[in-house]
Amino acid sequence: MTTKELSGKVAIVTGAGRNIGRAIALALADGGASVVVNVRSNRTEAEAVTREIEAAGGKALVHVGDVTDAAAVQAMADAATKHFGRIDILVNNAALRREKPFSEMSYAEWREIMDVILDGTFHCVKACLPALRQSGAGAIVNIGGLSAHIGAKDRAHVVTAKAGIIGLTRALAHDLASDGITVNCVVPGLIGTPRPKDKPEPAHHLTHQTITGERGRPEDVAATVRFLCGPGARYINGQAIHANGGAYLGA
């Protein structure tokens, strides 16, 4: 029998319509949490995830809103507390996949990535913080990226933003510890997720080698997030936890 260690908890997962975000939403719901399924614009995807959760006996709420819009994020936090009465878990997963040589990169393209990954996380934490403080055992999990630790060609903006997420995780862990809130980062390695037909496999993916010899699944990342949100991880704080099959063995 699956342990419902998150029973009574309420979670917000950004970028939860597909791939890793979807898997995280499903995993937290499987643990007993009620889940706010956030997407930027694709309501159809969010509703599909919500139906999966509800079909398994869980509770979920769709919220369409861009994490770069502070007002939209505040509306999401308000909807969560109005519908479920609380917020205990925030998973900052929303991100963009972009590739461009630095010499050709415009400032607007640079800012687009920073706005989603860094500013979006800022907005979400700020909006959810009052409720997370009331939880008494709040958990924030930010989703990092392996490229922030090893670098990647044509991804200066993404690498920089994901490295910033590590710094923000550590800073928030210090700032929020007295509120009973843990802040950690899960760093996925090469995960097998569908890509648009018009976008080939990034070159840096081909250089990643895992000990297992296989790519991970979104569910592998989701299981790590679920653990960090649960009662067994309350002494883990300010950490970057790698889920990469041994592709990166550094600190």
Side-chain angles (χ1 to χ4, degrees):
M1 183 177 68
T2 303
T3 301
K4 301 294 184 181
E5 79 282 4
L6 302 179
S7 180
K9 303 288 187 180
V10 174
I12 292 177
V13 182
T14 67
R18 64 177 76 172
N19 299 335
I20 290 174
R22 169 184 169 273
I24 292 170
L26 293 174
L28 297 183
D30 185 63
S34 300
V35 182
V36 176
V37 179
N38 163 261
V39 293
R40 181 172 62 176
S41 59
N42 197 325
R43 177 175 288 275
T44 299
E45 287 185 342
E47 289 176 344
V49 176
T50 298
R51 285 195 297 271
E52 284 188 80
I53 291 172
E54 292 175 341
K59 297 179 180 180
L61 176 69
V62 170
H63 190 88
V64 178
D66 191 333
V67 297
T68 68
D69 183 340
V73 172
Q74 185 61 58
M76 176 173 65
D78 292 344
T81 55
K82 180 179 180 180
H83 192 81
F84 293 123
R86 58 191 297 149
I87 302 171
D88 305 276
I89 297 164
L90 169 63
V91 181
N92 291 302
N93 170 71
L96 294 174
R97 290 177 171 178
R98 297 284 189 268
E99 296 170 23
K100 179 70 74 72
F102 183 77
S103 60
E104 301 173 13
M105 189 182 299
S106 68
Y107 180 67
E109 289 169 323
W110 171 271
R111 278 300 336 159
E112 179 189 32
I113 300 300
M114 301 300 158
D115 287 347
V116 173
I117 295 176
L118 284 175
D119 293 355
T121 298
F122 175 89
H123 294 320
C124 288
V125 174
K126 289 285 283 188
C128 294
L129 188 53
L132 288 169
R133 281 175 166 154
Q134 291 181 8
S135 168
I140 298 172
V141 180
N142 302 318
I143 304 303
L146 182 58
S147 62
H149 299 266
I150 63 175
K153 182 179 174 60
D154 297 339
R155 304 194 93 193
H157 42 8
V158 176
V159 170
T160 301
K162 289 295 189 179
I165 284 293
I166 297 294
L168 181 59
T169 295
R170 292 169 177 162
L172 290 177
H174 280 275
D175 283 352
L176 306 183
S178 62
D179 295 309
I181 301 170
T182 61
V183 188
N184 292 289
C185 180
V186 172
V187 185
L190 186 56
I191 305 300
T193 57
R195 296 187 62 84
K197 294 181 180 179
D198 60 339
K199 292 185 178 181
E201 189 81 11
H204 71 275
H205 279 191
L206 304 179
T207 64
H208 293 181
Q209 299 294 327
T210 66
I211 292 173
T212 62
E214 298 178 352
R215 295 188 180 193
R217 304 169 303 142
E219 291 77 11
D220 296 322
V221 180
T224 308
V225 173
R226 174 174 170 174
F227 169 68
L228 290 172
C229 294
R234 297 306 300 170
Y235 198 54
I236 301 174
N237 203 4
Q239 302 301 308
I241 309 297
H242 290 261
N244 60 33
Y248 173 74
L249 301 178

